[in-house]
Structure formats: structure tokens, C-alpha cells
Amino acid sequence: MSIMMKGSEVVAAMKEELLHEAEELARQGIIPQVGIVRIGARPDDLAYERGARKRMEAVGIRCMVTELPEDISQAAFQQAFAAVNDDPATHGILLFRPLPKHLDEEPVRTMINPVKDIDGMSPINMAKVFSGDESGFAPCTPEAVMDVLAHYNIELKGKRVTVVGRSMVVGKPLAMLLLKQHATVTICHTRTVDLPGTCRNAEVLIAAAGKARMITADFVAPGAVVVDVGINVDEGGNLCGDVDYEAVAPIAASITPVPGGVGTVTSSVLAKHVIRAARELNALA
Ligand code: NDP
């Protein structure tokens, strides 16, 4: 039977480190602060916000929420975003996405101060991820995957790693972070010929396709490490990943569950980024 790579264990280890760093900042009179910008009040946004606030407040980060009306105009949205961006007390900004359809995300992606861009949405931070420059912020979910792999001591150097999914939020930046760790990376998508065979060739398989339980036992080589980024709701209304956990767990060496895997770690990555941004904005090493 495989090792279950639990997000909660990664979170617990990160919490110690973050508490220590926040205490260091507090000694210098700095309280790390995140500005959360949310448009409307979608139940899943509110649930994520509650979880993220709890995680961040537990390590001494102050959370300020700017809630904007669902029908806000583009100009008013940009103005409100600029106010958070320009607020000297705010070190990191978390914008809830996707935005309502009538709003364009592009202007704020270019407007956001890259040092406050804790979810790696600005073109500058994206470019840094793609050029292997670690001075920027990677998007939280790909970094959470890397933190899970590091916590469970999964060696990546020289390994065949396959990522299913090529979005700019997960698949592509994740592939770059893996490459930085000297993995031999294959990226799969909907046009991949022989997806099961390509996945079966992987020593580490990472699913980020957004298709409930699509990774079945015949996609996985015996002894492979399997990371499930997917968050889906199945026909029965239950939360599940992209991996058919029951079928794959007996074959894999280690595997992340859903829920309780990668998704659990993303708010801790946000917290890590806010503390780093607070240090950088105060010119601390
Ligand atoms: P997108 O829908 O933007 O991208 C999905 C990618 O998967 C695309 O590149 C698509 O290929 C590929 N894909 C979809 N179906 C298949 C298939 N049948 N075979 C091969 N490739 C396929 O999703 P995201 O990247 O935003 O998210 C991916 C998953 O991760 C979702 O379940 C999402 O909920 C979850 N997620 C989890 C987070 C977390 O914190 N754990 C945070 C963010 C997302 P193509 O490009 O060809 O269309």
C-alpha cells in the first residue's frame, strides 16, 4: 500500500517556520498584512477566504478584505484594486478569480506591484518562473505541489515527471518549477496521443486536468509517485480529484488524497509569500 502524502503534515511543518518568521518581523515592529480583494460573495470564494484567513491569522498575518459589488464597473474595480496596491501597510494581495465575466483581469495583472503579487499573476512574476529566476512569486498551487514533494523527500533530479494539464495557473508554471529542480518534464493535454502510455512512463505523475477520476490504474506505473491537483465534484456531489484514488493507491509508492492533499497547502504558501513580501518591502534580507 502506498504512503498517503497528507497536506496537513506539510502545513504543520510550514507553520513552525512561518510563526518564527512572523515573530522576527514583529520584533521589528512589522505586522505582515494581506489585502484580499473579492468581487461578490460566491459561496466557494467565501469558504476559501475563511480557510485562508484562519491559516494566515494563525501565523500572525493581518487580513484586510475589500469586498466589491458583483456589478462593479471596470473603472471602479481598477480604482479599488489600486487603493489596495498602493496601501503601504499591505504587503501581499490576493485577488479572487475568476472575475465576473464583464471584468477584464489584464489591467490589474500588469498594475499589481510584483513584490505584493503573492499569487504570481503579474507578467513579471510569470516571466521569472519561466526563466528559472527564483526572486519572484510563483502561483500558489504549483508551489504547493513542490512543497508537498519536498516535504516527502521526493527526489526530482533526473526523474521522468509528467504533468497532465497546461494552464497558466497550474500546469505550465508547475512544469517550469519541476524543470528548475532538474526533472525531465513531459506536459500532457487534450491533444496528447496515448495519454495512458505517456503517464505510465512517469516516475512522478501530476494530474491537473480538472476531470474527475480520469487517472485510472492503467495510467500509473507500479511504484510511481502520484500528485493530484484536481478539485472536482462528482455525479454524487462529492469532492474528488483527477485521480481514481481507490484504484491507484494500491499501485503507487505515494499519493496525495483529495480533499486533504495539495489544496490544503495552498493557503500556507500564500502565508509564506505574504511574510516574504513583508520582508522584501521593508528591505530586510
Ligand atoms: P484548466 O481547465 O484551465 O486546464 C486544464 C488543463 O487540463 C488543460 O490544459 C487541458 O488541456 C487539460 N485537460 C483537460 N482534460 C484533459 C484530458 N481529458 N486529457 C488530457 N488533458 C486534459 O484547469 P486549471 O489548470 O485551472 O485547474 C486544473 C485542476 O486543478 C482543476 O480541477 C482545478 O479545480 C484544480 N485546481 C486546484 C487548485 C488547488 O489549490 N488544489 C488550485 C487551482 C486549480 P487543453 O489545454 O488541451 O485544453
Side-chain angles (χ1 to χ4, degrees):
M1 199 60 184
S2 55
I3 295 167
M4 190 194 279
M5 298 188 286
K6 288 187 191 160
S8 57
E9 289 186 11
V10 185
V11 166
M14 286 172 80
K15 187 175 176 185
E16 291 300 309
E17 182 74 24
L18 294 174
L19 273 170
H20 174 72
E21 289 181 21
E23 277 163 16
E24 284 284 306
L25 285 172
R27 265 195 283 281
Q28 307 193 47
I30 301 159
I31 300 187
Q33 179 170 309
V34 64
I36 296 174
V37 180
R38 171 167 47 76
I39 299 163
R42 286 202 328 238
D44 51 342
D45 281 354
L46 292 176
Y48 185 71
E49 183 181 304
R50 269 194 303 277
R53 283 189 70 151
K54 199 169 151 202
R55 186 73 56 79
M56 289 202 257
E57 284 166 358
V59 295
I61 295 171
R62 189 192 287 141
C63 301
M64 306 296 281
V65 179
T66 301
E67 178 175 344
L68 302 171
E70 183 84 46
D71 61 352
I72 192 167
S73 68
Q74 180 74 31
F77 163 55
Q78 285 180 215
Q79 197 177 17
F81 191 89
V84 179
N85 201 28
D86 295 342
D87 173 12
T90 297
H91 304 109
I93 302 173
L94 175 62
L95 171 66
F96 276 77
R97 296 177 287 166
L99 301 178
K101 290 217 166 14
H102 70 282
L103 293 177
D104 182 7
E105 183 180 303
E106 209 47 39
V108 298
R109 286 183 63 229
T110 45
M111 179 203 298
I112 192 168
N113 179 346
V115 184
K116 296 187 178 188
D117 177 25
I118 54 168
D119 200 13
M121 66 179 206
S122 93
I124 291 174
N125 281 319
M126 246 338 152
K128 285 186 173 181
V129 169
F130 277 74
S131 61
D133 176 349
E134 289 175 344
S135 71
F137 288 118
C140 285
T141 301
E143 190 166 321
V145 171
M146 299 305 286
D147 285 346
V148 170
L149 292 170
H151 180 84
Y152 286 94
N153 296 315
I154 307 296
E155 174 69 46
L156 293 168
K157 194 170 167 182
K159 291 283 166 65
R160 294 185 306 278
V161 181
T162 296
V163 179
V164 184
R166 59 173 165 179
S167 75
M168 283 300 282
V169 183
V170 189
K172 277 186 197 161
L174 175 57
M176 294 303 120
L177 298 179
L178 292 160
L179 199 56
K180 177 83 184 163
Q181 296 303 316
H182 311 293
T184 302
V185 185
T186 303
I187 307 174
C188 297
H189 43 79
T190 52
R191 318 293 158 83
T192 298
V193 176
D194 188 18
L195 186 65
T198 310
C199 291
R200 228 171 18 244
N201 188 39
E203 294 164 283
V204 179
L205 175 62
I206 306 176
K211 293 282 175 294
R213 300 193 183 96
M214 68 168 279
I215 304 292
T216 50
D218 57 330
F219 286 61
V220 180
V225 172
V226 179
V227 178
D228 192 352
V229 184
I231 300 178
N232 312 294
V233 178
D234 69 12
E235 318 79 53
N238 301 308
L239 207 60
C240 72
D242 288 355
V243 177
D244 182 346
Y245 188 92
E246 299 305 323
V248 169
I251 306 168
S254 39
I255 181 167
T256 60
V258 176
V262 173
T264 312
V265 182
T266 53
S267 327
S268 294
V269 174
L270 280 177
K272 177 170 63 164
H273 286 180
V274 177
I275 288 173
R276 196 177 122 197
R279 263 207 318 266
E280 286 175 13
L281 287 161
N282 286 282
L284 303 173

